[in-house]
Amino acid sequence: MIRYKHVNKTYTASDAPAVRDLSLTVEDGETMVLLGPSGCGKTTLLKMTNRLIEVSGGTVAIEGEDVARTDPVTLRRRIGYVFQGVGLFPHMTVAENISLVPRLLGWTATRREARARELLALVDLNPDTYADRFPDELSGGQSQRVGVARALAADPQYLLMDEPFGALDTVTRTTLQEEMLRLKSQLGKTIVFVTHDIFEALALGDRIAVLNQGRLEQVGAKEELIRNPASAFVASLFDAPRAQLRAFGHLLNGT
Ligand code: ADP
Ligand code: MG
């Protein structure tokens, strides 16, 4: 369980807060989508979870333990992270990129190699073909798969994913969303998934937390947000795509 309690973040004294008094609980095994427009504080909240950014106020607790008091290496083992824009290291092979956290944890080369190959297979990339490639020899979709494999390397219970499919074409994106659903049910991780795409949120979220200007507008299952929006902002999110929502009604029925 991840619990955010009255979390605040102000980057500099003069700026408006990026995250304001935000409280939210992510239950074990659920996928919580953080949904909101660019600049609303999604990445900031995600990075405060694994201390890539420190809170200005409030607490983030994992399994009841304040992350501010948890050693960062321990955090990285427990929490996988998929960066916005992937962020593979260009001078490292795919296998080396996947092995970053295992290396940090002191795994032997043999164990790292075996794990990298296992993960490549899991994200549907042939290890013989891809393990020794460099990032510039991959398509966008393949890079994203490697990014996901890297986040899973130390078998973390928690996964933070920051717009992982944001830069992809629609077809690749849909394929990866479907794979995400497969991985989700296969691995049973607790996932916080950031997106600004309402359809992606509907497809992947067990619950959706809507953020606006650093505040949590509403959190709930998709049916709840659609039927009982707590604010005009939440209602408007579902207004524009309503016609398409009817066409994609199967997503709402959880199939
Ligand atoms: P999102 O991921 O939802 O697009 P961010 O969390 O990246 O939003 O940003 C939230 C707000 O904080 C924005 O106004 C952004 O400009 C600001 N911000 C983000 N990172 C920094 C930073 N390192 N320094 C100052 N302001 C930042
Ligand atoms: Mg962001």
Side-chain angles (χ1 to χ4, degrees):
M1 185 166 84
I2 305 173
R3 179 164 278 173
Y4 303 91
K5 258 195 203 160
H6 302 294
V7 171
N8 282 287
K9 179 66 187 183
T10 303
Y11 280 102
T12 66
S14 58
D15 279 347
V19 171
R20 307 173 198 228
D21 194 26
L22 193 147
S23 297
L24 177 69
T25 300
V26 184
E27 303 291 349
D28 288 339
E30 84 170 329
T31 297
M32 175 69 78
V33 167
L34 306 180
L35 173 69
S38 178
C40 72
K42 305 181 297 294
T43 296
T44 301
L45 186 65
L46 207 64
K47 287 185 168 175
M48 288 191 287
T49 316
N50 62 356
R51 292 186 62 189
L52 288 173
I53 292 175
E54 303 288 347
V55 299
S56 308
T59 55
V60 182
I62 305 228
E63 286 161 30
E65 193 183 332
D66 188 345
V67 297
R69 274 179 262 140
T70 310
D71 159 51
V73 175
T74 310
L75 272 182
R76 276 173 216 148
R77 188 174 53 221
R78 280 162 88 186
I79 308 174
Y81 193 84
V82 183
F83 287 83
Q84 190 164 6
V86 196
L88 297 179
F89 288 102
H91 59 287
M92 290 184 187
T93 65
V94 162
E96 286 166 347
N97 267 286
I98 294 174
S99 300
L100 281 171
V101 169
R103 184 183 284 273
L104 191 79
L105 298 173
W107 294 17
T108 64
T110 314
R111 186 176 171 205
R112 291 200 304 264
E113 163 90 20
R115 181 63 176 154
R117 294 180 64 85
E118 180 186 10
L119 285 161
L120 281 170
L122 182 74
V123 297
D124 217 17
L125 291 174
N126 184 340
D128 292 331
T129 311
Y130 293 101
D132 297 326
R133 284 207 187 175
F134 285 90
D136 68 358
E137 299 167 321
L138 302 174
S139 72
Q142 289 164 349
S143 300
Q144 293 295 350
R145 287 167 196 265
V146 174
V148 172
R150 179 173 63 179
L152 291 170
D155 196 21
Q157 187 49 42
Y158 299 90
L159 208 48
L160 309 176
M161 307 182 76
D162 197 350
E163 311 220 25
F165 312 139
L168 303 174
D169 62 87
T170 313
V171 173
T172 310
R173 191 176 178 134
T174 306
T175 308
L176 284 181
Q177 287 170 357
E178 281 162 6
E179 297 227 342
M180 181 72 208
L181 289 171
R182 173 180 65 82
L183 279 179
K184 204 179 112 172
S185 60
Q186 196 176 330
L187 302 174
K189 307 285 183 198
T190 304
I191 301 170
V192 185
F193 188 103
V194 164
T195 185
H196 63 265
D197 178 333
I198 187 155
F199 293 106
E200 188 161 84
L202 291 169
L204 298 181
D206 296 316
R207 288 193 297 158
I208 299 171
V210 178
L211 271 65
N212 182 25
Q213 299 185 336
R215 293 183 202 282
L216 179 64
E217 290 268 335
Q218 187 172 5
V219 57
K222 47 202 161 193
E223 298 82 2
E224 209 175 315
L225 298 187
I226 292 166
R227 291 198 191 113
N228 299 307
S231 66
F233 180 81
V234 176
S236 72
L237 270 184
F238 292 93
D239 259 357
R242 207 167 287 276
Q244 287 181 60
L245 280 175
R246 273 195 288 274
F248 288 100
H250 59 285
L251 293 177
L252 300 179
N253 300 325
T255 52

